[in-house]
Amino acid sequence: MYKTFLTVIASLLASFGAVAAPNPEMIVVCYPGGAVNVKDANGAMTSMLRVVEHVGQWQENSFNSLFTTKTDECKKLIAEHNPRFAITSLGLFLELRNQHNLLPVVQPKIKGRTSERYRVMVQKDKYKSLDELKDKTLGGTVLEEPSFIGKIVFAGKYDPASFFALKSSNQAIRSLRALDKGELDAVMLNEQQFGALDSLHLQTALEAIFTSEEIPLMGVVANSAKTTAEERARFGKALEGMCADVEGKKLCDLFGVESFVNVDEAAFEPVLKLWTEEN
């Protein structure tokens, strides 16, 4: 139910080397906490890779991908393959950017926005403030990266690992149904998950007891030491044409992505500052 733009952009990466590609360039794709089946994800990515190769006029099978939903495995894959391009969560980008010279290249635009807010949902009228959730259970798929939640989502004001009893899940709907039954005290949702709440028809009314500041949506990152500005610009232009392509539009529509846009560096400054201040 909760489709993510990370799955669709997972296949929008291409090699900028020679035209022929007997050894496809490997792209590391990280989706922490997701419930995506790796086999299904790789199948979908293969289809999308062929589309972007067509849009960008690269030879078929010029590149391939490695997909994982595990944070530690993602770090290991990036260390082993040292890819020129990758797809990561914002938390992983912030953690790995200095070590691997990462720069954000493109972002997805969803419902006219390239940013999102995170919310902590509780049963209506049960709690009055986030402080009342001290030592209470907090569920959700986004809890796979507690450092990101604490430093960026909570802007350093709460350490989720010590403040809450965390109950991470790979399915938001499972956490929400547990909240509905009173088995969880709260659930953290990202923008897409929050937008799908009405379709669940839960028995208990919910409300947001906390809403974060705007946080940029994460897309594709590049290793600035292994790519040139020209290569990154060419890649961005190719992605901008992805959703305008007949076949590409079908894929974009499927995952609710309107378009891909070049990164506005200013939009990342607040989160970079927060991360630096807290490290």
Side-chain angles (χ1 to χ4, degrees):
M1 178 174 293
Y2 296 110
K3 296 172 180 175
T4 172
F5 62 85
L6 286 179
T7 305
V8 70
I9 62 177
S11 302
L12 309 184
L13 297 164
S15 170
F16 292 97
V19 174
N23 298 308
E25 182 173 349
M26 196 61 67
I27 308 302
V28 176
V29 181
C30 306
Y31 179 24
V36 179
N37 179 279
V38 173
K39 182 178 179 180
D40 292 343
N42 283 327
M45 287 188 283
T46 296
S47 299
M48 287 182 260
L49 285 170
R50 303 296 81 84
V51 173
V52 80
E53 285 165 350
H54 167 71
V55 174
Q57 298 183 352
W58 293 294
Q59 182 176 334
E60 188 174 353
N61 298 316
S62 291
F63 48 99
N64 206 339
S65 62
L66 285 171
F67 181 91
T68 180
T69 61
K70 303 297 183 182
T71 301
D72 289 342
E73 185 176 355
C74 176
K75 296 176 186 178
K76 182 180 178 180
L77 289 173
I78 289 180
E80 290 179 351
H81 293 274
N82 196 21
R84 292 200 295 165
F85 292 94
I87 295 172
T88 70
S89 64
L90 180 57
L92 280 168
F93 160 70
L94 291 169
E95 183 177 348
L96 302 176
R97 66 190 181 92
N98 289 331
Q99 182 181 357
H100 295 283
N101 307 293
L102 300 181
L103 288 176
V105 178
V106 291
Q107 293 178 271
K109 180 178 285 187
I110 300 175
K111 294 184 178 180
R113 300 173 58 192
T114 56
S115 64
E116 64 177 338
R117 294 181 186 270
Y118 286 70
R119 295 170 175 84
V120 175
M121 307 300 298
V122 297
Q123 291 187 0
K124 189 173 177 61
D125 298 326
K126 188 171 183 178
Y127 299 100
K128 295 181 179 179
S129 71
L130 200 60
D131 289 335
E132 293 184 13
L133 291 176
K134 172 67 175 174
D135 297 325
K136 301 294 186 181
T137 53
L138 175 66
T141 65
V142 299
L143 302 178
E144 181 76 14
E145 300 178 278
S147 293
F148 166 73
I149 298 301
K151 299 173 192 295
I152 305 302
V153 176
F154 288 138
K157 296 177 182 178
Y158 298 90
D159 173 17
S162 61
F163 190 83
F164 305 99
L166 298 181
K167 302 293 182 181
S168 183
S169 172
N170 63 1
Q171 292 185 346
I173 188 172
R174 182 179 299 169
S175 294
L176 286 166
R177 294 203 184 283
L179 175 61
D180 187 38
K181 297 175 183 177
E183 297 170 354
L184 286 175
D185 296 301
V187 172
M188 179 173 282
L189 302 178
N190 61 27
E191 195 76 45
Q192 286 182 297
Q193 293 167 346
F194 177 74
L197 265 180
D198 289 344
S199 66
L200 297 182
H201 306 296
L202 300 175
Q203 298 299 310
T204 306
L206 304 181
E207 64 180 345
I209 200 171
F210 166 84
T211 302
S212 74
E213 297 295 327
E214 292 283 350
I215 297 173
L217 290 172
M218 199 67 228
V220 178
V221 300
N223 185 322
S224 61
K226 297 185 67 177
T227 59
T228 66
E230 183 178 0
E231 288 172 338
R232 295 191 292 272
R234 179 191 173 194
F235 175 55
K237 184 177 180 180
L239 287 180
E240 288 175 7
M242 174 68 187
C243 295
D245 177 80
V246 175
E247 293 301 317
K249 188 176 186 305
K250 295 177 182 178
L251 296 167
C252 291
D253 288 347
L254 178 63
F255 293 99
V257 175
E258 296 171 9
S259 64
F260 293 93
V261 297
N262 287 328
V263 165
D264 176 7
E265 294 183 7
F268 282 82
E269 290 177 1
V271 294
L272 289 171
K273 182 179 180 181
L274 279 173
W275 189 266
T276 302
E277 289 177 348
E278 293 300 317
N279 275 280

